């Protein structure tokens, strides 16, 4: 079995590095499983004060692995994927350790949900972000639970609908990321050094204060949004949208620019 999430620990920092360049670190079943394993290992390793979630290659995360769904019953895929995403985002929020996203590459669709779930996010100059769900006939249903509390209302109203790309500076301005940095590694090192001065109990309790409203929203809305996500995934428009994406062509409903 390939290693899709690399795990290492140094100086009280557990690093989880998404390393699946073949599918642009898309959220395949195995990658998600290995990410959960890494989060568990970090909580169980003595002395760890923070988790840094990074990536290899030019993409942090491309969202759902649409190619992996081929050949399976769409209804089963839809439910499984929706539940997997809900569980992963909640896991990051509930982790008693701070999670720092270290991004210097592309982030698309469900990958932005992970960004929203991180406690602190540093984005480098090569970073681009886009919520492309509407372009394939679905919506950022589940990931709205971590994005809407972080992004400004005006920004969400724009980028949820247009699918436009934006960079690190804009992401910082609208609250999606914490810091737009020229040097991601140096900035992350400074943050983890500051976190290393805190006690485990203090970190866990302080993080819980910041994530409580998001977890309350999960308790209230996650089941409904999971069902919505699954229903959209198996719709006729979504079938056309995903097929067009895989075939690298415009979907049938796209209006050509004049």
């Amino acid at each position: 079995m390939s290693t899709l999430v690399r795990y290492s620990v140094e100086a009280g920092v557990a690093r989880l590095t998404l390393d699946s360049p073949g599918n642009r670190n898309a959220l395949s079943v195995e990658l998600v499983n290995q990410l959960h394993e890494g989060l568990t290992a970090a909580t169980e390793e003595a002395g760890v004060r923070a988790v840094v979630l990074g990536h290899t290659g030019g993409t942090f995360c491309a969202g759902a692995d649409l190619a992996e769904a081929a050949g399976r019953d769409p209804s089963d895929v839809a439910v499984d994927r929706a539940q997997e995403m809900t569980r992963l985002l909640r896991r990051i929020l509930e982790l008693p350790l701070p999670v720092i996203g270290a991004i210097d590459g592309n982030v698309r669709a469900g990958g932005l949900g992970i960004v929203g779930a991180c406690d602190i996010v540093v984005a480098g100059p090569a970073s681009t972000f886009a919520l492309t769900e509407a372009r394939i006939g679905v919506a950022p249903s589940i990931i709205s639970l971590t994005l809407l509390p972080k992004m400004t209302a005006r920004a969400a109203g724009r980028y949820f609908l247009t699918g436009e790309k934006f960079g690190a500076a804009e992401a910082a301005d609208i609250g999606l990321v914490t810091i737009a940095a020229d040097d991601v590694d140096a900035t992350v090192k400074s943050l983890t050094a500051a976190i290393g001065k805190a006690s485990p109990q203090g970190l866990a309790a302080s993080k819980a204060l910041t994530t409580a409203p998001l977890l309350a929203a999960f308790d209230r809305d996650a089941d409904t949004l999971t069902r919505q996500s699954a229903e959209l995934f198996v719709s006729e428009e979504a079938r056309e949208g995903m097929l067009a994406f895989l075939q690298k062509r415009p979907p049938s409903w796209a209006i050509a620019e004049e």
Side-chain angles (χ1 to χ4, degrees):
M1 185 178 297
S2 300
T3 300
L4 306 181
V5 179
R6 302 197 178 277
Y7 176 84
S8 63
V9 176
E10 183 179 356
V13 178
R15 294 185 178 272
L16 301 180
T17 304
L18 306 184
D19 188 17
S20 182
N23 68 354
R24 298 166 57 234
N25 290 326
L27 298 172
S28 65
V29 171
E30 187 53 37
L31 185 142
V32 171
N33 286 341
Q34 291 185 24
L35 189 50
H36 278 291
E37 291 170 0
L39 293 171
T40 298
T43 60
E44 293 178 348
E45 185 138 5
V48 168
R49 291 291 183 273
V51 174
V52 173
L53 181 57
H55 63 100
T56 60
T59 297
F60 171 73
C61 180
D65 188 348
L66 299 180
E68 188 181 59
R72 292 183 57 197
D73 183 282
S75 296
D76 291 341
V77 171
V79 173
D80 289 348
R81 289 298 169 81
Q83 291 176 340
E84 286 169 5
M85 178 56 76
T86 302
R87 179 171 167 252
L88 177 60
L89 298 183
R90 181 156 199 150
R91 180 74 188 285
I92 295 171
L93 293 170
E94 291 181 331
L95 204 75
L97 299 166
V99 179
I100 301 174
I103 299 167
D104 201 14
N106 303 316
V107 190
R108 298 291 181 269
L112 273 79
I114 296 174
V115 172
C118 290
D119 301 290
I120 303 170
V121 181
V122 180
S127 301
T128 68
F129 304 85
L131 288 154
T132 52
E133 285 87 345
R135 294 188 177 189
I136 61 168
V138 295
S141 304
I142 295 163
I143 65 173
S144 70
L145 290 166
T146 61
L147 292 178
L148 292 179
K150 304 291 178 71
M151 299 173 68
T152 66
R154 286 297 186 191
R158 174 180 179 176
Y159 293 120
F160 272 45
L161 303 180
T162 65
E164 296 170 287
K165 288 194 299 185
F166 54 95
E170 172 74 357
D173 286 344
I174 66 176
L176 176 63
V177 308
T178 313
I179 303 170
D182 292 331
D183 189 329
V184 173
D185 290 341
T187 304
V188 169
K189 184 176 181 180
S190 175
L191 290 165
T192 56
I195 289 170
K197 297 175 182 178
S199 78
Q201 174 178 276
L203 288 172
S206 297
K207 172 173 175 170
L209 292 173
T210 68
T211 58
L214 284 78
L215 290 169
F218 269 75
D219 291 339
R220 183 183 67 243
D221 299 326
D223 288 346
T224 298
L225 291 171
T226 298
R227 285 194 299 271
Q228 181 192 73
S229 178
E231 289 167 1
L232 288 170
F233 189 89
V234 298
S235 67
E236 289 299 323
E237 286 189 18
R239 289 191 185 99
E240 165 61 11
M242 285 182 269
L243 184 61
F245 174 82
L246 294 172
Q247 294 177 346
K248 297 181 173 21
R249 61 170 175 82
S252 61
W253 64 74
I255 299 174
E257 295 182 14
E258 295 183 359

